[in-house]
Amino acid sequence: MVDFYYLPGSSPCRSVIMAAKAVGVELNKKLLNLQAGEHLTPEFLKINPQHTIPTLVDNGFALWESRAILVYLVEKYGKTDSLYPKCPKKRALINQRLYFDMGTLYQSFANYYYPQVFAKAPADPEAFKKIEAAFEFLNTFLEGQTYVAGDSLTVADIAILATVSSFEVAKFDISKYANVSKWYENAKKVTPGWDENWAGCLEFKKYFD
């Protein structure tokens, strides 16, 4: 049994749910109430000393950081390597996109929206410019491309889909970026688990209403 500690509204958690669906792994989902400090209990700290979500426990093997979990699920449970091909060049491009999501795209979301949502801070125009720059990069990556890395769906699409859908419920105007918009519409149709991802997005949306 694969235990999964998560919150449905979290983009990184939602990416893991989609990847698990894509490789046919059933997750034993365990909701963690961060506001109640459930991630800081001695039991959870023993599993993940960094006390972050998502956290996966596969027969005693604990792993956190969503993008590491995506790769692990495909490498261990994927019936083919299509979501994370063994070709070094294809894999390198996917890795680059995963790091771009972590360090640039998702980071820009966190830096701009989280202070407003969780600390009631005013919007920071400089942080908003970082979002626009991140979307410009993604738009460039997608020029003439159906997928973010290579010519088929990979874990890079799954990670970035989780992030971009969060921007949608935060009311960021994705339509200004034609390549991203086109990719997003297709990714929603072809990514397993999209419905559950969107349900989590709608739960997250209450912070922006």
Side-chain angles (χ1 to χ4, degrees), residues 78-175:
K79 292 175 181 60
T80 72
D81 70 349
S82 66
L83 290 170
Y84 194 61
K86 291 186 173 62
C87 165
K89 287 182 180 175
K90 288 181 179 177
R91 184 167 282 195
L93 187 61
I94 292 166
N95 289 340
Q96 186 274 324
R97 301 296 196 252
L98 289 172
Y99 295 139
F100 166 77
D101 179 46
M102 182 181 189
T104 303
L105 187 65
Y106 179 71
Q107 193 63 50
S108 74
F109 182 92
N111 289 349
Y112 181 71
Y113 290 107
Y114 287 166
Q116 297 176 64
V117 167
F118 299 117
K120 305 300 179 216
D124 178 355
E126 290 305 310
F128 188 78
K129 285 179 189 168
K130 295 274 177 66
I131 293 175
E132 293 179 313
F135 268 85
E136 288 288 356
F137 288 134
L138 182 57
N139 205 58
T140 300
F141 299 160
L142 284 163
E143 185 64 43
Q145 303 295 319
T146 306
Y147 298 97
V148 296
D151 53 10
S152 62
L153 185 78
T154 68
V155 290
D157 293 282
I158 293 173
I160 290 174
L161 179 60
T163 300
V164 170
S165 55
S166 292
F167 277 104
E168 182 181 356
V169 294
K171 303 182 175 70
F172 179 75
D173 185 6
I174 298 163
S175 69

Side-chain angles (χ1 to χ4, degrees), residues 61-75:
F61 172 66
L63 186 64
W64 52 98
E65 291 297 347
S66 62
R67 296 156 194 86
I69 295 172
L70 300 183
V71 169
Y72 170 75
L73 285 173
V74 175
E75 291 195 314

Side-chain angles (χ1 to χ4, degrees), residues 172-202:
F172 179 75
D173 185 6
I174 298 163
S175 69
K176 290 192 293 186
Y177 307 91
N179 297 334
V180 177
S181 292
K182 189 175 167 191
W183 164 83
Y184 184 44
E185 289 310 310
N186 181 63
K188 288 192 276 191
K189 294 185 189 118
V190 301
T191 306
W194 163 258
D195 290 347
E196 191 171 350
N197 175 75
W198 187 244
C201 282
L202 293 180

